[in-house]
Every structure is written in structure tokens, then in C-alpha cells.
Amino acid sequence: MNILYVILGVLVLLAIERWIYKRYWPKGVNASVRFSQDRAVEGDEVELIETVEYTGRLPLPWLRVKFQISRDISLPGGKGTIVTDNYSREDVFSIRRMQKITRRLPAVCGKRGQHRIVGVDAVSSDMFMTCKTITSFQGNHGITVYPCRTAVPDIEQAARQMMGEHITNTSRMEDPFMFRGVREYMPGDQMSHINWRATARTGKMTVNQFDHTSDLCVSIWLCFEENADWRDYELSEECIRIAATLIGNFIDDGIPVALCCNARDYVAGGAAIIGHGCSQEHKDSCLTALARLDMNKSAEPLDDFLETIPRSVSEDELVIMISPEVEPRRCERVNELTVGRDLLWIVPVNADDEEPELNGLETIRNNCVWRVRL
């Protein structure tokens, strides 16, 4: 009879203990997972920071943190990781009351995009391991992965050669902020241009020389077929990398750049159209737009999209069209839309394919077929 009482007493204690843990254990538990930075480039290695803090009163025998991230963010080693549509990661902590633990995991950004951490859960049990308890935290931290730059020397050379024809020293007014050098004074030079330090050093009257301003700007048209074949996926990604490379290089040189792309933004849902600018913030906006292009959705019809591209107010504009889709009718329409502007059409093709038939490309004033080895 006494044994029955003992067993009954143990069961009551277990039931009370389980009830207490289920009711009170989440109080004081805090778990978070975040990236060490909010922006990166394809191929970069960043850190995934797990932080667990416990300020509750109940002892925890163990604590497991579970979360999911995009499979395009790879965790080297793969310990505690299950790969499906996402990476599912589990890490076990031994934590005491009033303790905070931080772990840093290396993570490689394998693909452009905006990748978020979802489903951060903390799992534990009561002291007798008779039941598991779980609490969830909002996993809203993410990282924007920009497309990486690619080596396009032939393309850049062709573009810069065309731009050089615009930048002349006879058709524009001098820009006092674009210092070029000094020369000896000539009758008619402005007194405000005299370089007194150089004059005192050389003993000859010397004046400053300035470059001339130019209204040159660049518009990049990144265009895809409405329903691209999955086999063309890597080629499309290379088109995006070429656009990212040109945008970065031009803005670094102080040349205003605009971006127009008919692929859909998977956050906003529409095509990406960003006006001219040459600041660091503008470059980040363009690269973010490229990172958010959703190649799994149908792009806007290309012919309709070309009609909606706004024209620059600048007198001198270089249009760089990046598109593997070439046909006579479209080439004719692009020529019409770029009348009065210089046009360079870049056609990425697979280097392993046979010589492609690019009917109509001969009508484009400047074109460059870029063979990409995928």
C-alpha cells in the first residue's frame, strides 16, 4: 500500500513539475540568429551569429535552437544541418541561469538575392526529460547578396571608346571642379585661374587648367525573354553580373547610370526601373534591384517594356542593352528607340554552343557578342 502511495506521489510530482515547466519555462529565454552584415557579394563569406540568453528561474537540462535559411547560403561542414528547400539548422546549448552564449558560424553567400532567417525556435524539456517544450521567436533578419562582378574587358573597352567620343575639350564649358594641371600664362587667360604658388616656385606666370564638363550618362537595358527556358538560367545570371559590373565601374568613375530591366522584382512584383545617379547610395539601389530579380517568374513582355523605358533628359546618352534575345524586328525597334543616342548591344552566348544565328544584329551600330563559359 505504501508503494502505491509512493508511486502516486511521484506521478503527482511529475505532473506538477511538467505543468510548471510548460507554463513558466519560456520566461527568460531569448534566442536570436542574425548575419554579421546586411550586404554581401556572391562568393563572400560572412558570419551567422547565434545568441542565446537565459534569465529565468527554472534550471534547463539542455536547450536546442532551430532555424531555417535559404539553401543558397551554405554552412561549411554541414554539421547539424538538413538540406531541403531551405537549410534547417539545429544547435544544442548547455546554458545556466543568467548566462548569455554567442556562437559564430561561417556562411558562404552562394547566390545573389535577399535571404532571410525564418522559424527561429528554442526547444527544451523538464528536468526529468518527460516532455519537450518549445517557444518561437521572430526571425526577420536577412542579408542582401549582390551579383558578383565579372571580367568584361572587351565590353568595357568598347563602351569607354564610345564615351570618349563624347568627352571633348571644345564643345563644353570648363568645369572649375575638374582640375587637369597647369600651364604657362597666355594673353587672354583669366586672372582668377592664375596659380600663385606655381608662379612663385617657377618664376613664370602659371595658370590652372580644367577639364570640360560633359552631360554624358549611361542607361543599361537588361532585357530577357518573357518565358525563359530553364537551360538559359545561368546565361541570365551572367547577364545580371555583366550589368552589375558595368554599373559599379561607371559609378566609380562618376558617370550617372540608369537601370531598366523587364525581369520582375520578387518583392515589388514589377519591372525594375531606376533613374540616373552616380552616388554610392544610387549604386546600392541598383545592385539591390539586381539582387531581387526573380528569374523563376515570367518577365514583362519585352516589346511592351521597351516602349515604357523613360528617355534621359541629357543630350548625350549611351544605351547599353544586355540581352541574348536577338531578332530582326526587335533590332529595328531598338534602333528606332535610340535615335540620337549611342547604342551598344551586348549579346551573351554560351561558349560551348555552336555559332548562334543572330539575325538582325548587323543593323545595330555597335554590338558585342560575349561568349560565356558556364
Side-chain angles (χ1 to χ4, degrees):
M1 196 68 170
N2 291 334
I3 295 178
L4 292 177
Y5 285 132
V6 170
I7 294 175
L8 182 61
V10 170
L11 292 177
V12 171
L13 286 175
L14 288 176
I16 294 173
E17 190 253 8
R18 289 181 61 177
W19 178 83
I20 292 174
Y21 265 86
K22 286 185 177 180
R23 182 176 177 84
Y24 295 106
W25 93 271
K27 294 183 178 180
V29 176
N30 186 29
S32 66
V33 183
R34 62 182 178 87
F35 290 98
S36 58
Q37 57 197 64
D38 57 1
R39 287 175 290 188
V41 179
E42 282 180 309
D44 283 357
E45 182 175 295
V46 298
E47 287 185 324
L48 200 63
I49 303 174
E50 289 183 272
T51 303
V52 178
E53 185 177 12
Y54 184 54
T55 58
R57 296 184 177 182
L58 297 175
L60 298 180
W62 53 270
L63 182 67
R64 178 182 293 129
V65 176
K66 303 167 62 177
F67 62 91
Q68 291 185 340
I69 59 174
S70 168
R71 63 184 302 167
D72 296 321
I73 303 293
S74 59
L75 304 177
K79 183 179 179 181
T81 303
I82 301 174
V83 182
T84 54
D85 291 339
N86 294 315
Y87 272 114
S88 297
R89 175 89 180 190
E90 294 187 8
D91 287 312
V92 179
F93 296 81
S94 176
I95 189 169
R96 299 186 301 273
R97 184 174 176 270
M98 305 304 295
Q99 185 180 15
K100 182 178 181 179
I101 299 175
T102 299
R103 288 181 182 174
R104 295 177 177 267
L105 308 173
V108 177
C109 303
K111 181 185 172 185
R112 65 170 183 87
Q114 281 192 323
H115 309 296
R116 294 203 168 274
I117 299 167
V118 296
V120 180
D121 297 326
V123 183
S124 188
S125 72
D126 62 343
M127 291 301 298
F128 298 104
M129 309 286 186
T130 59
C131 69
K132 288 185 178 181
T133 51
I134 183 171
T135 184
S136 298
F137 301 91
Q138 186 68 29
N140 57 2
H141 194 273
I143 186 171
T144 300
V145 180
Y146 295 156
C148 64
R149 294 194 181 188
T150 186
V152 287
D154 295 340
I155 295 174
E156 285 193 278
Q157 182 179 358
R160 293 185 185 279
Q161 183 176 356
M162 296 174 65
M163 288 189 297
E165 298 174 359
H166 282 285
I167 302 176
T168 63
N169 295 327
T170 57
S171 61
R172 298 286 187 267
M173 297 181 60
E174 285 187 339
D175 189 337
F177 298 102
M178 298 179 66
F179 179 76
R180 187 173 62 183
V182 296
R183 62 171 173 79
E184 191 173 341
Y185 175 83
M186 297 176 62
D189 286 335
Q190 298 181 33
M191 294 296 292
S192 61
H193 288 180
I194 295 177
N195 188 318
W196 296 108
R197 288 187 178 181
T199 299
R201 186 172 60 253
T202 62
K204 296 181 180 180
M205 190 72 75
T206 305
V207 296
N208 294 323
Q209 283 185 296
F210 301 95
D211 275 331
H212 297 72
T213 61
S214 174
D215 294 329
L216 178 66
C217 60
V218 177
S219 287
I220 294 180
W221 298 0
L222 182 58
C223 300
F224 302 100
E225 197 59 48
E226 182 178 358
N227 294 300
D229 194 292
W230 176 253
R231 294 171 297 178
D232 298 329
Y233 176 80
E234 284 298 330
L235 195 60
S236 299
E237 290 296 316
E238 188 64 19
C239 291
I240 296 172
R241 295 186 187 106
I242 292 173
T245 302
L246 295 177
I247 288 172
N249 291 346
F250 287 143
I251 291 180
D252 290 344
D253 290 343
I255 300 173
V257 178
L259 172 66
C260 303
C261 179
N262 69 323
R264 298 184 185 277
D265 185 311
Y266 68 75
V267 176
I273 298 181
I274 300 177
H276 289 90
C278 59
S279 65
Q280 181 62 43
E281 291 76 13
H282 182 76
K283 180 167 72 171
D284 290 339
S285 297
C286 292
L287 294 178
T288 299
L290 293 176
R292 288 168 31 171
L293 295 180
D294 190 350
M295 303 310 296
N296 294 320
K297 292 183 179 179
S298 297
E300 290 193 5
L302 183 52
D303 294 330
D304 296 340
F305 174 74
L306 290 174
E307 303 294 335
T308 64
I309 295 178
R311 178 160 183 165
S312 171
V313 296
S314 173
E315 296 178 0
D316 297 324
E317 183 180 27
L318 170 61
V319 175
I320 300 179
M321 183 162 179
I322 306 172
S323 177
E325 308 300 333
V326 179
E327 58 181 48
R329 177 179 56 83
R330 186 164 296 152
C331 292
E332 180 181 354
R333 185 56 187 148
V334 170
N335 271 327
E336 293 175 356
L337 292 172
T338 57
V339 169
R341 293 178 283 181
D342 281 331
L343 169 66
L344 173 62
W345 189 320
I346 302 170
V347 185
V349 297
N350 192 340
D352 296 329
D353 292 344
E354 298 179 357
E355 194 67 27
E357 295 184 5
L358 303 176
N359 298 326
L361 192 62
E362 67 279 357
T363 64
I364 301 298
R365 297 183 295 278
N366 299 284
N367 64 76
C368 178
V369 178
W370 182 252
R371 301 191 71 85
V372 179
R373 187 166 298 281
L374 304 180

